[in-house]
């Protein structure tokens, strides 16, 4: 689409009535879309990073009903340029520092295209053996890069599977654990509902909200979810003794602890729970131990960060999101389990219309039984492509570059007396704030929230916040694929300028 | 990739070390991928429809670890051609008649590309307002095409949302219903675990296995899932009086009925439950009424099929899969609810790091609270593109064409004395079998299973089976985007030839 007239947002009726899947039309229009997307990346720094539209903006721009007759691709692309792009928050912008990154890449996009183009639905092996087998192989590859213990690989009872998100990874882990503990307890003659009412889950108050949501979905009593405090004294890592005490208290109270979720790289501050110590305790009590490394898992392909996973050998399940920081377009959450039978027992259903010889003979893996939905995309293509087209060395260099950039930002902030760092930078997230002025009654809450909103409203960069030990904390997560040192330098200038402007206003 | 040498499967090291997201590399390689995929569609009829590989085939072809250094796109595409494509079962082949279709289309693929290219994660409105707002608008468009009652549209308390699959649609519906009935019952002073142990769900034995799976996940007692019998006397639709009786019995036994899932277009035979009658009973008892039209929903955009949805005005939730038969590449399951607050109450979680002004002011929809995962793709682009580029008229013509083709096949089968039709053809699925020979001890089970396996092993076509009233039933689902009358004529010839050959062998 070189020459898509960005100035002209008028639509002309150009409906041609595409055939469903005509090869020539497919080829021609898909080439146009490639150029449209390439141009988007070329221009991405010219857009405000956080969308500046107001709620309800799009309803005013689009018709109330679908067209009766076909429209043309020109019309649609004009609408994308004029009406959709202004409503985007640009996650791939080099100036996007919010939440955690959600990487796009050339290789990831190629994998996404191929997956969408082949459009096979590999819920059972037979429905595209390559979709299942490549996933098994590529999860082994990634597991080896992470130096996961052999038990997580496909050679034994374990193996990896791609879930949509880390939320689904923790949910299926809880469901497998719950089913297993229930079966074990029923053998001891306990009644089902009395067991269910006592099932207890442990995590820290720094864990992702998806743990709580998974408990809700799985029917764990909210009163039996222990959200244990982790504070600045341990850099927001969960202290083993707090876990240990909670366990002992619960057991004494007649509850049945069955699941621990620890985090390597928490969302608020990338804290790393001491998984070796926590895992050791969890095993003493017979809990299922899940390690969520959604964000930081990617860094652990570098030897110098791998020690954060020490203790993962005690885990029953481990997950990381290749779609965050490992150049794999959304979605691609990798989950490894040591005993896949426990997943399958909890999640399999049988239906005559799904039966087939390969499955009946138990010669194959059917990933439908490792996940919530039935259908599934051929997502391993993306992961395979990023591993091959960047190579392990290229991916490590990519991670290290972001960490260098984040270190640089941390140095800039430390060198400025008006600001302070609020949690140690372990990976590529920097937590900081504008120090409260003397007499500030809310400990810098409002001034930092205002600074954040002013910067984000300017469209120059987009970043988000958290609260650490009651303190409003600004977060700069370096990790977008196009971010270079110069972008962070610029971001820091923008933040300082807005801070100065706000201070002057008071 | 014109000229990808299909004959040459040798790999050469061509590693170039792509940059993460360089515009020129992106453009050049994505153009190559377009041609690769277009060539795949061009050649699709030359591949065996069902993959002919043996379990474990791919492990022998790929290395055991990821490459340390980058490889080249040529190598990867050669591997796709030589090692992956033979392991595919070709869902987009015009000779694919298995399960239900899983459509790819030019417009659907363009939407998929754009979604993957922009790669925004629209879990909250602020993270790309266009992603949320387009989804609201396009689900209204599709709801209007289906003539859903106003209460399912976004103008009031209701609205539509895209889930990954129908499995997730029924799961979130059950979770919302469960949470609601629990809250209501707690107000009456009943104890939580006693309520939970009595929650009872109703569906027919023809409903999709995802209903049972959703109950398992949501913690419904398996003993309280009523899988009610529907047989040939009602063309496999659930008789209202059976539902009514089960309800009355359960209430008398002290159970708490709370959820009914009816199906419009069952997986085995596309049976249509009488949703007006069932819904009327469900409302008398205060149940949440979910209508699953995963397959047949697409046909209901045609006025002559819309009557199958009469009674949907009594439903609390309704879902259909645009990714099955409505040209939208996988995945895109549309779910509409009348009261979205009940979904949000059941599924929302709060975390400081997700807070933002637009959400706090309740001015916007945050779809993270309408689904299981947190993150979400911009999937409405696909649906928007198919609605615009084909138009309502184009989509209706597409559906009608497949139904015509299926009618034609039905006529061919009826005209052949050796075969019989086993369930009425309502949409584009034909259920039939080879009649058992005199003295056949298993009522045609083995002869039909053998016929199916022989045909599928030949690679000419791929079709699956079910069991209806104990009878092994062959299913031909017409609905792949490239299927024309000639493909079904050929399929019928292939089936007859194999039938003759098998009969001769006895």
């Amino acid at each position: 689409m070189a020459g898509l007239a960005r100035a002209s947002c008028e639509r002309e009726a150009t409906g041609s009535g595409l055939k469903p899947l005509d090869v020539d039309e497919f080829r021609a229009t898909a080439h146009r879309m490639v150029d449209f997307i390439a141009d988007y990346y070329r221009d991405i720094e010219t857009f405000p990073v956080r969308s500046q539209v107001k709620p309800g903006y799009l309803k005013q721009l689009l018709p109330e009903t679908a067209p009766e007759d076909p429209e043309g691709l020109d019309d649609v692309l004009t609408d994308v340029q004029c009406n959709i792009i202004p409503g985007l928050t640009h996650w791939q912008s080099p100036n996007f520092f919010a939440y955690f990154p959600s990487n796009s890449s050339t290789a990831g996009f190629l994998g996404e295209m191929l997956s969408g183009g082949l459009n096979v639905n590999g819920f059972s092996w037979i429905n595209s053996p390559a979709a299942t087998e490549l996933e098994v192989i590529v999860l082994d590859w990634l597991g080896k890069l992470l130096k996961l213990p052999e038990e997580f690989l496909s050679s034994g009872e374990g193996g990896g599977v791609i879930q949509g998100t880390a939320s689904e990874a923790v949910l299926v882990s809880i469901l497998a654990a719950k089913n297993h503990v229930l079966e074990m307890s029923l053998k001891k003659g306990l009644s089902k509902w009395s067991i269910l009412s006592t099932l207890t889950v442990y995590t820290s108050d720094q864990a992702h909200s998806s743990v709580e949501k998974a408990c809700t979905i799985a029917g764990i009593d909210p009163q039996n979810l222990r959200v244990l405090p982790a504070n600045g004294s341990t850099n927001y890592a969960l202290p083993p003794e707090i876990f240990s005490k909670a366990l002992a208290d619960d057991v004494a109270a007649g509850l049945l602890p069955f699941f621990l979720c620890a985090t390597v790289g928490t969302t608020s501050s990338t804290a790393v729970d001491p998984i070796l110590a926590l895992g050791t305790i969890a095993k003493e009590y017979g809990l299922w131990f899940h390690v969520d490394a959604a964000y930081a898992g990617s860094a652990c392909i570098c030897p110098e960060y791998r020690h954060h996973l020490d203790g993962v050998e005690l885990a029953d399940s481990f997950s990381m999101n290749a779609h965050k920081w490992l150049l794999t377009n959304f979605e691609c959450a990798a989950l490894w389990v040591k005993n896949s039978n426990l997943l399958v027992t909890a999640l399999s259903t049988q239906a005559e219309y799904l039966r087939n010889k390969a499955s009946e003979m138990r010669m194959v893996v059917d990933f439908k039984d490792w996940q919530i939905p039935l259908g599934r995309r051929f997502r391993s293509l993306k992961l395979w492509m990023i591993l091959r087209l960047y190579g392990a060395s290229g991916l490590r260099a990519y991670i290290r570059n972001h960490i260098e950039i984040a270190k640089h930002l941390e140095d800039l902030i430390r060198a400025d007396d008006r600001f302070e760092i609020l949690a140690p930078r372990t990976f590529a997230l920097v937590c900081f704030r504008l120090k409260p002025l003397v007499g500030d009654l809310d400990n810098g809450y409002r001034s930092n929230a205002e600074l954040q909103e002013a910067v984000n409203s300017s469209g120059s960069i987009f970043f988000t916040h958290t609260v650490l030990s009651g303190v409003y904390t600004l977060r700069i997560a370096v990790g977008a694929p196009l971010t270079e040192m110069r972008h962070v330098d610029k971001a820091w200038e923008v933040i300082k300028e807005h801070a100065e402007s706000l201070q002057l206003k008071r």
Side-chain angles (χ1 to χ4, degrees), chain A residues 72-335:
Chain A
L73 183 56
D74 283 340
D75 285 342
V76 174
L77 291 179
T78 301
D79 271 359
V80 173
Q81 194 74 45
C82 299
N83 299 333
I84 300 297
I85 287 182
L88 295 180
T89 293
H90 302 277
W91 287 67
Q92 305 314 318
S93 165
N95 300 311
F96 181 96
F97 301 106
Y99 309 107
F100 280 136
S102 181
N103 282 182
S104 182
S105 71
T106 298
F109 182 72
L110 295 175
E112 189 73 59
M113 282 176 81
L114 189 55
S115 170
L118 300 175
N119 205 40
V120 300
N121 192 340
F123 55 83
S124 298
W125 179 87
I126 191 69
N127 294 329
S128 272
T132 297
E133 297 199 10
L134 186 65
E135 188 160 329
V136 171
I137 291 167
V138 170
L139 275 276
D140 277 354
W141 283 12
L142 185 55
K144 288 174 187 172
L145 282 185
L146 288 163
K147 302 208 183 305
L148 294 186
E150 182 82 21
E151 298 146 283
F152 283 115
L153 306 183
S154 69
S155 41
E157 296 291 300
V161 60
I162 298 176
Q163 304 281 330
T165 63
S167 305
E168 290 153 85
V170 70
L171 174 57
V172 298
S173 299
I174 286 186
L175 290 168
K178 176 188 165 191
N179 190 64
H180 183 57
V181 71
L182 190 60
E183 284 188 355
M184 292 297 106
S185 303
L186 287 171
K187 281 184 191 162
K188 293 178 196 158
L190 298 170
S191 85
K192 188 164 78 171
W193 292 97
S194 70
I195 300 163
L196 289 172
S197 67
T198 60
L199 292 180
T200 305
V201 170
Y202 302 81
T203 196
S204 97
D205 60 6
Q206 300 298 304
H208 194 266
S209 57
S210 57
V211 181
E212 182 192 342
K213 186 158 174 171
C215 288
T216 304
I217 293 167
I220 305 305
D221 193 327
Q223 294 180 7
N224 295 347
L225 169 60
R226 300 282 167 268
V227 180
L228 304 170
N231 61 32
S233 69
T234 56
N235 293 333
Y236 302 98
L238 176 59
E241 55 278 14
I242 288 187
F243 172 48
S244 199
K245 166 116 186 17
L247 268 175
D249 289 352
D250 286 334
V251 170
L255 295 174
L256 181 50
F258 85 107
F259 192 87
L260 165 68
C261 176
T263 311
V264 175
T266 60
T267 307
S268 281
S269 69
T270 68
V272 177
D273 286 336
I275 60 176
L276 182 56
L278 294 171
T280 304
I281 301 164
K283 292 295 101 180
E284 279 169 28
Y285 283 79
L287 273 64
W288 182 293
F289 180 32
H290 178 72
V291 175
D292 172 5
Y295 165 73
S298 296
C300 299
I301 65 168
C302 302
E304 67 271 32
Y305 296 102
R306 173 54 178 79
H307 66 92
H308 294 298
L309 295 188
D310 288 352
V312 72
E313 58 277 11
L314 299 171
D316 298 283
S317 49
F318 170 77
S319 77
M320 60 79 71
N321 290 352
H323 62 239
K324 279 195 163 60
W325 194 17
L326 208 63
L327 289 171
T328 313
N329 291 44
F330 191 76
E331 53 209 350
C332 185
L335 169 69

Side-chain angles (χ1 to χ4, degrees), chain A residues 393-428:
Chain A
S393 60
L395 294 171
R396 288 190 201 105
Y398 176 73
I399 295 286
R400 285 168 179 151
N401 181 49
H402 282 147
I403 294 177
E404 275 309 304
I405 296 174
K407 265 185 197 161
H408 171 70
L409 175 65
E410 184 188 26
D411 292 341
L412 292 173
I413 296 173
R414 282 194 195 281
D416 191 319
D417 275 352
R418 296 167 298 179
F419 291 83
E420 63 184 330
I421 295 288
L422 290 177
R425 184 206 48 71
T426 309
F427 304 100

Side-chain angles (χ1 to χ4, degrees), chain A residues 23-76:
Chain A
V23 172
D24 295 332
E25 287 178 349
F26 178 93
R27 196 184 302 264
T29 56
H31 279 306
R32 289 190 59 193
M33 187 59 87
V34 167
D35 283 324
F36 186 91
I37 297 168
D39 289 352
Y40 167 74
Y41 284 128
R42 181 195 65 201
D43 299 339
I44 198 164
E45 290 194 53
T46 67
F47 307 121
V49 185
R50 192 189 73 182
S51 174
Q52 309 285 308
V53 301
K54 299 278 176 288
Y57 90 102
L58 193 56
K59 203 177 166 63
Q60 298 162 24
L61 299 171
L62 298 190
E64 289 192 358
T65 54
E68 178 64 19
D69 296 314
E71 298 182 88
L73 183 56
D74 283 340
D75 285 342
V76 174

